[in-house]
Amino acid sequence: MSITGRGAASKEQVAAMLMSILKFRKPEIKLDATDGLAAALCHFYQSNNCTGEKKYTGWKDFLKKNPGRVR
């Protein structure tokens, strides 16, 4: 859904959106491969770390910076 905007998109629609987002063209692309690439891209989008920088040095650092997330 985060790639095409709808959860019921076909494999062809997912492939077309990935080619647009990532700016590549490969006419003989494998649709199962684009499913895997879409999953990886969704994981990247949801990581909230688009800069590639490390946010935390470990659990202690995470807990120190996020005290409200500890139960």
Side-chain angles (χ1 to χ4, degrees):
M1 193 166 161
S2 61
I3 301 297
T4 63
R6 37 182 297 227
S10 69
K11 288 180 179 268
E12 291 81 9
Q13 289 171 315
V14 172
M17 284 303 296
L18 284 171
M19 285 191 269
S20 176
I21 292 168
L22 300 175
K23 310 230 183 305
F24 72 91
R25 294 280 173 233
K26 189 171 183 184
E28 70 280 346
I29 193 148
K30 304 287 186 206
L31 296 179
D32 290 334
T34 58
D35 282 349
L37 185 55
L41 189 58
C42 288
H43 179 71
F44 174 74
Y45 285 161
Q46 292 185 8
S47 71
N48 294 323
N49 190 10
C50 295
T51 62
E53 298 174 6
K54 272 190 168 178
K55 287 188 172 186
Y56 308 107
T57 57
W59 278 110
K60 285 184 181 181
D61 188 35
F62 174 83
L63 295 172
K64 181 179 173 184
K65 293 178 180 176
N66 299 283
R69 295 192 65 186
V70 178
R71 292 184 183 193

